[in-house]
Amino acid sequence: VYKRQAMGFLGEEPVVTPNLDRLAEEAIVFTEAASNYPVCSPYRAMLMTGQYPHRNGVIANCLSRTAPYGVELAKDARCWSDVLEANGYSLGYLGKWHLEAPYEPYIDCANNRGKVAWNEWTPPDRRHGFDHWYAYNTYDFHLRPLYWDTDAGRDGFHYVDQWGPAHEADRAIDFIRNRQGRFRDADKPFALVVSMNPPHTPYRMHPEKCQAPYADKTDKQLSERPNVPPAGTRWGDHYRNNIRHYYAMITGVDEQLGRIIDALDRAGLAENTIVVFTSDHGDCLGIHGRVTKNVPYEESMRIPLLIRFPGRLRPRREDLLIS
């Protein structure tokens, strides 16, 4: 009853995701996928290494408080990207990495100025085979994100006055088109990660147009899950104050996913490209009295996992327990 995956085609949430709905018709949809450490850095290290946190060393988020304990992705970890590089792939990474421990003097950016520093540059020898790099570690100002380009030094980051997912989709489309071979070796197969930060706090940091599908919905219509706390309670009001913006972020990410898939299709690469859509964790939004994630509840641990490989993988719903 209480499953929670905010994708329209599942019919569990009143969220608008036309591109995910279309992708679901062409993909294996793993309806029981879980993040067994549902917070940013540990999940990402598991995804990259195939190892649990006690093996890969990323036992918590990478930030200044955990840095003294060596909590970051090890330089000598063998990631799937290292395997692809060794097998002749051209690799690109766009967006949030969050596998680097911040060190002093901290990068001068907004989320490094409080008691805890979060963001850091990733040196080229710690990028695990990704030769095209346009990324940051973690930075939650979605309407003015910052990035390090491939050749930028530690102080060479730049800001962009564009919503993060839209900007990253622009860059992904450039990578796919690869005009004049500017982004990758056209003679090699490629792998590209597009790691969008939203839906992530602060939920209101999204383009206004993303709210359009929900403009005529009441708070009651958006809060009809049976385990949403009642209105007038701390957590019930937290849910109602944020769910509209959380859904708006998802709809915005869905639009950018659609642009990337369309670019793949137009480039004639659809038949020979595996598309994977997934996430590092879910979000409680006040359900169970929990503000976000990193708790052992469905809303926190359940994640989307869709894999499209036309002609090779038969589209279907798959209830395999997968983490």
Side-chain angles (χ1 to χ4, degrees):
V1 173
Y2 296 148
K3 288 181 180 180
R4 184 165 195 263
Q5 285 185 315
M7 296 182 287
F9 65 87
L10 289 176
E12 296 176 7
E13 303 273 327
V15 64
V16 178
T17 56
N19 294 292
L20 274 168
D21 299 351
R22 177 170 53 117
L23 180 62
E25 294 177 0
E26 303 169 349
I28 302 178
V29 178
F30 292 90
T31 58
E32 303 298 326
S35 169
N36 46 25
Y37 195 152
V39 71
C40 305
S41 303
Y43 171 91
R44 290 158 190 273
M46 287 190 288
L47 180 69
M48 293 305 299
T49 65
Q51 296 177 328
Y52 288 116
H54 68 277
R55 289 294 304 277
N56 65 42
V58 184
I59 56 171
N61 266 343
C62 300
L63 40 82
S64 57
R65 201 166 46 213
T66 60
Y69 305 99
V71 176
E72 63 180 352
L73 183 63
K75 184 177 175 179
D76 61 356
R78 187 153 169 82
C79 300
W80 60 261
S81 52
D82 296 309
V83 174
L84 290 187
E85 183 199 29
N87 283 275
Y89 275 68
S90 190
L91 295 160
Y93 198 99
L94 310 176
K96 181 175 178 175
W97 176 247
H98 204 181
L99 287 168
E100 216 65 52
Y103 62 89
E104 295 183 284
Y106 298 124
I107 297 294
D108 184 22
C109 62
N111 65 338
N112 278 4
R113 294 179 191 139
K115 292 181 179 178
V116 176
W118 291 80
N119 203 8
E120 186 52 86
W121 175 63
T122 300
D125 64 350
R126 293 184 48 79
R127 294 176 187 170
H128 291 277
F130 290 104
D131 47 3
H132 178 76
W133 188 261
Y134 192 81
Y136 58 93
N137 268 279
T138 189
Y139 191 72
D140 296 331
F141 296 82
H142 314 303
L143 290 168
R144 193 169 186 259
L146 68 78
Y147 301 90
W148 280 270
D149 218 327
T150 303
D151 298 324
R154 188 170 186 250
D155 296 324
F157 59 89
H158 68 278
Y159 292 91
V160 176
D161 289 312
Q162 188 181 8
W163 194 48
H167 183 62
E168 290 151 25
D170 288 349
R171 296 286 303 209
I173 291 166
D174 287 342
F175 185 92
I176 290 164
R177 290 176 177 164
N178 197 35
R179 288 173 176 154
Q180 287 84 51
R182 285 175 53 217
F183 296 91
R184 56 185 172 86
D185 186 335
D187 295 326
K188 293 182 177 181
F190 72 83
L192 174 67
V193 177
V194 187
S195 181
M196 298 176 182
N197 199 350
H200 191 288
T201 53
Y203 304 120
R204 292 169 189 261
M205 285 190 185
H206 57 72
E208 194 172 332
K209 69 171 186 174
C210 298
Q211 284 201 77
Y214 310 101
D216 297 329
K217 300 280 188 184
T218 65
D219 286 348
K220 184 175 186 298
Q221 288 173 313
L222 295 176
S223 310
E224 289 187 339
R225 284 174 46 76
N227 64 344
V228 173
T233 64
R234 176 190 176 187
W235 294 115
D237 289 349
H238 178 81
Y239 187 91
R240 288 163 179 81
N241 288 338
N242 287 293
I243 190 63
R244 187 178 302 272
H245 298 284
Y246 187 71
Y247 284 163
M249 280 190 160
I250 292 171
T251 297
V253 166
D254 178 84
E255 178 188 1
Q256 304 311 322
L257 169 70
R259 292 180 61 220
I260 295 169
I261 291 176
D262 287 347
L264 260 182
D265 294 350
R266 283 196 301 270
L269 297 168
E271 294 297 316
N272 198 33
T273 304
I274 302 168
V275 172
V276 180
F277 180 86
T278 191
S279 179
D280 50 359
H281 54 73
D283 203 324
C284 287
L285 280 166
I287 296 172
H288 308 296
R290 303 291 181 159
V291 65
T292 51
K293 68 268 184 180
N294 202 13
V295 288
Y297 291 111
E298 294 249 341
E299 291 81 2
S300 170
M301 295 185 72
R302 294 180 69 80
I303 54 171
L305 178 58
L306 289 75
I307 304 178
R308 184 186 86 163
F309 195 9
R312 306 288 186 92
L313 296 179
R314 178 175 57 83
R316 62 188 186 276
R317 302 280 176 97
E318 177 61 71
D319 64 358
L320 178 73
L321 299 176
I322 188 168
S323 62

